[in-house]
Every structure is written in C-alpha cells, then in structure tokens.
Amino acid sequence: MIEELKANYGYLFEEELLQEINKVGTYKDVPEGHRLIEIGDYIKSMPLLVSGAIKILREDENGDELLLYFLERGDTCAMTLSCCLGQSKSEIRAVAENNTKLIMVPVQKMEEWLGKYKSWQRFILQSYHDRMTELLQAVDTIAFLRMDERLFRYLKDKAMVNHDDVVHVTHEQIAQDLHTSRVVISRLLKKLSLSGKIELQRSNIKVIDL
C-alpha cells in the first residue's frame, strides 16, 4: 500500500504522514456500482482515492437521486469530512463510478493529523474548497442551464472521470442522476446526436465535442 500512497499522495504529504496512513489505513478495492457510504450512516473513516472515481449523490424525500459531483484520484469528500468531524449522520450517498481503489483512514486520526501535519491541514482545507466549488457549479447547473446543457455537461464529466470518450450508461441511469425522466433523456440525447455533440451507439454514448 505504501507504494501506491507515495505514487498518489507523495507530492502532498511528508514521509512521516505517509507512513502513518500506511499503518492505520485500510486498503479497499471496490467494484463499479458498489455503495461506499449510505445516507444515514455514521461515518467511521474517510476515503483517499488511489484510482477510479466515486460519484456523490443526494436523495429527496421521494427517494429520487441527484448527482452532486465526482471524486477522482487524489481526492477526498468534504461531506465525509463534515460528518466525521461533527460525528453526524451522512447526508450523501457515495457510489463507485467504476472499479475503484481507495484507502480508508479512521476518523479518530483526522483531528490529530490536523494539528500534527501542516500538509494534512492544507489537504483538508483544499478539499473543502474544491468540493464547495463543485457544489456551487452543481447549483448553477440546475438553476441556470437548460436540461440539454445539463445532460451534455454530465456526459462530458463522466467521460473525463473515466478517461474514455465512450460513456457506458443507460438512459434510465442518466435520468436518475439528473433527477428527470427517461423519456426526456432519450429525446435530448437524440437532439445532441443530431447536433453532432455525441454519437449514440448500442448501449453506449460517444462524446464527440469534449
């Protein structure tokens, strides 16, 4: 685990901190679609992504989901940090976007390292900043963009976090992530295809205008 830690976080953390993470962290290899964190859970550890991607979702009172943002290699989740430090229940759902490798750090170590390591403090503050920026972008997208623009941004984001211009996702899954209906998504995908921004393939969508 130490080699993957150094490869992904060596530029952020000093050697002593890397060794501590290696000692107390738990390495996890999770498959695509696996739920890492569920709404209402008490969070006992926070994730450090080594590879892959995780999508962070909210849920309304009817059980419908809304995608907030993606986490990639070198990221952690500000929502997780808030719950850990406040010892409150999770208000988000974290699902592996693809096959993902991560290191889970026990919550007890978070506050200890904030006072002990400047690099950890900078990492946590930067993570809060990055996730807040992404949350504001999500709000702006919902408030100001038309649904076809939201859909195209969603497809581009998925292509980028998966490092593949071919997106493997069903119309139903897109509808769930964007909190709309499958019929609307199917109609808008045809519109984007006619405009040359995407190419509809069998069971896949190729994003042309990245």
Side-chain angles (χ1 to χ4, degrees):
M1 187 168 75
I2 188 63
E3 293 306 318
E4 291 194 311
L5 264 173
K6 288 181 177 180
N8 292 281
Y9 293 92
Y11 70 100
L12 288 173
F13 303 146
E14 54 265 72
E15 179 67 24
E16 186 180 352
L17 176 53
L18 290 170
Q19 292 296 338
E20 280 211 53
I21 296 173
N22 185 59
K23 183 178 178 180
V24 303
T26 302
Y27 184 86
K28 281 194 172 185
D29 198 338
V30 297
E32 178 182 341
H34 179 76
R35 291 190 177 188
L36 292 156
I37 300 171
E38 188 52 89
I39 295 168
D41 286 351
Y42 281 105
I43 298 175
K44 298 179 181 178
S45 55
M46 59 164 282
L48 296 176
L49 267 74
V50 173
S51 67
I54 294 172
K55 61 182 179 180
I56 305 300
L57 305 151
R58 281 278 284 163
E59 185 179 84
D60 68 12
E61 58 189 21
N62 297 317
D64 295 322
E65 293 178 333
L66 177 65
L67 176 67
L68 297 180
Y69 52 78
F70 290 99
L71 299 177
E72 299 181 80
R73 187 184 69 163
D75 285 341
T76 191
C77 181
M79 296 290 195
T80 304
L81 301 176
S82 283
C83 292
C84 286
L85 293 173
Q87 296 184 334
S88 57
K89 292 181 179 180
S90 172
E91 296 182 0
I92 55 94
R93 175 175 295 126
V95 180
E97 168 71 12
N98 47 39
N99 294 333
T100 300
K101 295 179 181 180
L102 46 84
I103 297 167
M104 303 301 291
V105 176
V107 61
Q108 305 93 289
K109 289 292 179 179
M110 287 185 56
E111 287 190 80
E112 176 188 330
W113 290 347
L114 281 172
K116 189 175 180 181
Y117 298 109
K118 287 291 184 183
S119 63
W120 181 258
Q121 187 181 91
R122 286 193 298 269
F123 174 67
I124 295 301
L125 291 174
Q126 187 62 49
S127 295
Y128 268 115
H129 176 268
D130 293 344
R131 301 296 83 78
M132 181 57 67
T133 298
E134 288 168 339
L135 280 174
L136 289 174
Q137 289 174 347
V139 171
D140 287 347
T141 297
I142 295 167
F144 304 124
L145 295 186
R146 302 191 311 268
M147 181 54 76
D148 60 332
E149 295 172 319
R150 286 181 60 197
L151 171 58
F152 187 54
R153 178 172 291 186
Y154 166 88
L155 292 172
K156 289 204 298 184
D157 286 346
K158 282 185 79 73
M160 285 188 282
V161 299
N162 286 287
H163 307 290
D164 188 349
D165 61 357
V166 177
V167 178
H168 307 277
V169 64
T170 65
H171 295 196
E172 184 65 35
Q173 183 59 60
I174 297 173
Q176 290 175 6
D177 285 347
L178 295 184
H179 209 309
T180 186
S181 72
R182 186 188 61 77
V183 173
V184 168
I185 292 301
S186 296
R187 175 172 55 81
L188 293 178
L189 284 172
K190 289 180 182 178
K191 178 181 176 181
L192 289 174
S193 177
L194 289 171
S195 69
K197 292 184 176 181
I198 65 171
E199 180 183 311
L200 295 176
Q201 302 176 344
R202 188 172 182 177
S203 304
N204 301 312
I205 300 166
K206 183 174 182 178
V207 182
I208 298 171
D209 187 12
L210 276 174

